[in-house]
Amino acid sequence: NIKAKRLEQVAKILKTIAHPVKLEVLELLGKHEQLSVSSICSKIESGCEISMMSHHLAKMKDNGILVSEKDGKQVYYRIADTNLLKIFNCVENCEFL
């Protein structure tokens, strides 16, 4: 069933990004084409440990939300499909928040 598979995919995405730091990372990457782990940590407002950020980024990459590119020792991340950013409009316009 196509609808059931689509709903599973959406649930997986929502489960993966359902963390304040991950949402903040997505917002940052929405404003910048791509960023390295250290750049993300320097820009994030909620505080950052490189190891924890790497874990968050790897989880989002493993679930198809982010893609990465290695350049020397640096790994740069970007959003796989920027349509995902539409979720912020949806959340910001919800009347229950």
Side-chain angles (χ1 to χ4, degrees):
N1 184 335
I2 294 172
K3 184 176 182 179
K5 285 183 181 185
R6 179 72 179 137
L7 290 174
E8 280 183 40
Q9 183 183 21
V10 170
K12 182 179 176 182
I13 289 169
L14 292 174
K15 183 178 177 184
T16 302
I17 66 171
H19 188 282
V21 172
K22 291 177 182 177
L23 291 170
E24 190 172 357
V25 167
L26 289 173
E27 281 187 314
L28 278 172
L29 289 171
K31 295 174 185 168
H32 304 275
E33 186 175 329
Q34 66 179 15
L35 291 170
S36 67
V37 179
S38 56
S39 293
I40 291 169
C41 273
S42 70
K43 295 177 185 308
I44 207 151
E45 294 179 17
S46 54
C48 183
E49 290 181 25
I50 296 283
S51 62
M52 183 53 74
M53 182 56 63
S54 293
H55 173 76
H56 285 311
L57 294 168
K59 183 87 169 172
M60 290 193 285
K61 180 183 174 191
D62 290 345
N63 287 296
I65 293 164
L66 300 179
V67 292
S68 67
E69 186 177 304
K70 194 165 184 164
D71 183 20
K73 292 183 178 183
Q74 289 288 341
V75 178
Y76 292 89
Y77 288 88
R78 62 181 160 71
I79 297 172
D81 182 352
T82 55
N83 283 317
L84 178 65
L85 297 173
K86 292 178 183 176
I87 197 165
F88 291 105
N89 283 335
C90 186
V91 170
E92 288 169 7
N93 293 314
C94 285
E95 293 187 20
F96 64 88
L97 294 177

